[in-house]
Amino acid sequence: MNPAAHHRPALSPGSVLPEDADRATLVARVHEPEWGGPCVAAVRGEDVVDLTALAPTVCDLLEREGPDTIAAIVRDAPGGRSWKLSELLEATATGRRDVPHLLAPVDLQVIKAAGVTFARSLLERVIEERTGGDPALAARVRERVVDAVGGALAQLRPGSPEAGKVKELLISEGLWSPYLEVGIGPDPEVFTKAPVLSAVGTGADIGVLAASVWNNPEPEVVLAVDSRGRPRGATLGNDVNLRDIEGRSALLLSQAKDNNASCAIGPFLRLLDDGFGLDDVRGLGIELRVEGRDGHVLHGSSSMREISRDVLDLVASVHGPHHQYPDGFVLFTGTLFAPTEDRHAPGAGFTHEHGDIVRISSPRLGALVNTVASSEQAAPWEFGLRALMHNLAERGVL
């Protein structure tokens, strides 16, 4: 039995919707067992309305051009079947898969992630590397690294002459690392986080490899970008960091990042419109709260205002003449969080336990809530691209 199964969060519209939900243009995906597959849907008050006949995938919706804007379609277009949001959330939170429930609000988009985009988390990546992934060494190494470079990084513009001087200083001190290169150098770290369609949504278990003994959540703002490189919406994500595995070697990034259920996105995709634009994304605040079955509570907050690279610069590093994405992509923009608060042994920092409830929230994006389980025991990923294409064709919506 899944260790997380008896410690699931209660979900309600009031706990997951943005505080200005009445003015937000929200896209959801719903799994409808009767049809054996997912539906693109609009969140309209207490109802979630099927739009699959107009856009069989979220990717198709974000590619729409013409006089009817995407936001107008989501807000006003006649839809098909509707579901009560409260009922979808209850089914999702209780793990019911035999009734309609929510999925991650993205589908055919490639799932990309930018790393080391905040100075505080940059230092923790260096510490992981210096300790070789051993949490017992973290406190001592942290003190040395912070003494050497701490305040110098927060105000640096990556790729600037000033950043070049700091790089020279760190090399002379023997503290240079690949993480500092992508943190303050000219080029950001961007990697493919997870396969298409593998992300889990709010209410689902989020997976951590059973072999990992030092790990933490990575709460992030996630941009949805169309095939022309235009940001179309934003949501929340948990990038899940296995600090011990990546700390052993940066070349183990894929093993540390891409595992079953290790990518959570949701709860809904908020479209950019007249009331919510890129400047609003740039000013978003993010809250993190982790509640363990052992009574441990971790909380923190951050602001997108502290990011070292503008979100459009991150998008341009992914899409352009050098690389195209005909189905668009979603982009994790990086995290400020790298918890150092001890949970078990002094100096060992924070690590997850199975059954932890992780709540990532932002007033204008709502709340992404997941329960930690091992990747090996989380629900297996079984519905891929082939299954989606067959399902949509059988339903006659392609």
Side-chain angles (χ1 to χ4, degrees), residues 17-223:
L17 284 169
E19 63 180 16
D20 60 342
D22 58 326
R23 300 187 299 277
T25 309
L26 301 175
V27 176
R29 284 175 71 238
V30 176
H31 180 82
E32 174 52 80
E34 181 181 337
W35 298 332
C39 303
V40 179
V43 181
R44 299 175 181 171
E46 298 179 354
D47 297 315
V48 179
V49 180
D50 180 23
L51 298 178
T52 310
L54 299 174
T57 67
V58 175
C59 171
D60 285 303
L61 178 67
L62 299 188
E63 294 293 327
R64 290 288 291 258
E65 303 282 1
D68 293 328
T69 66
I70 298 172
I73 291 170
V74 173
R75 287 194 299 261
D76 303 319
R81 178 174 299 187
S82 67
W83 306 268
K84 289 297 181 184
L85 177 58
S86 58
E87 295 175 0
L88 292 174
L89 287 169
E90 181 180 2
T92 304
T94 56
R96 292 279 304 274
R97 296 298 176 259
D98 58 331
V99 294
H101 55 274
L102 291 174
L103 304 169
V106 299
D107 43 41
L108 297 183
Q109 298 93 339
V110 175
I111 304 174
K112 307 291 286 188
V116 201
T117 56
F118 289 85
R120 193 189 311 167
S121 61
L122 162 58
L123 291 178
E124 289 301 313
R125 298 293 85 76
V126 176
I127 291 161
E128 288 166 16
E129 181 185 46
R130 293 286 161 176
T131 63
D134 184 351
L137 303 176
R140 178 166 53 83
V141 174
R142 182 176 295 111
E143 182 177 0
R144 178 171 180 249
V145 171
V146 171
D147 284 348
V149 302
L153 299 178
Q155 306 302 320
L156 283 182
R157 182 170 58 85
S160 67
E162 293 78 12
K165 292 178 182 178
V166 172
K167 176 177 178 177
E168 292 175 4
L169 170 64
L170 294 170
I171 290 174
S172 68
E173 293 289 326
L175 288 172
W176 191 247
S177 86
Y179 296 103
L180 286 163
E181 176 63 48
V182 296
I184 66 175
D187 301 310
E189 176 190 27
V190 180
F191 56 93
T192 299
K193 163 63 182 175
V196 171
L197 285 177
S198 69
V200 300
T202 200
D205 287 343
I206 190 160
V208 173
L209 278 183
S212 175
V213 298
W214 189 22
N215 47 72
N216 59 251
E218 287 198 342
E220 307 189 22
V221 170
V222 180
L223 292 177

Side-chain angles (χ1 to χ4, degrees), residues 254-341:
S254 180
Q255 181 178 343
K257 290 292 188 181
D258 182 8
N259 298 292
N260 185 44
S262 66
C263 175
I265 298 175
F268 312 109
L269 178 62
R270 181 166 188 169
L271 297 185
L272 302 183
D273 55 22
D274 292 341
F276 182 73
L278 274 181
D279 283 342
D280 296 294
V281 173
R282 292 182 175 106
L284 288 172
I286 305 173
E287 298 288 331
L288 169 69
R289 183 177 178 85
V290 179
E291 298 181 17
R293 291 186 296 186
D294 59 355
H296 185 86
V297 176
L298 171 73
H299 55 80
S301 61
S302 69
S303 172
M304 286 290 286
R305 297 184 188 279
E306 298 182 52
I307 199 168
S308 60
R309 302 179 192 267
D310 187 71
V311 292
L312 287 182
D313 292 334
L314 293 176
V315 169
S317 72
V318 179
H319 177 277
H322 65 291
H323 207 316
Q324 298 77 46
Y325 291 83
D327 299 312
F329 58 96
V330 293
L331 177 62
F332 282 73
T333 55
T335 187
L336 181 60
F337 289 98
T340 59
E341 175 185 323

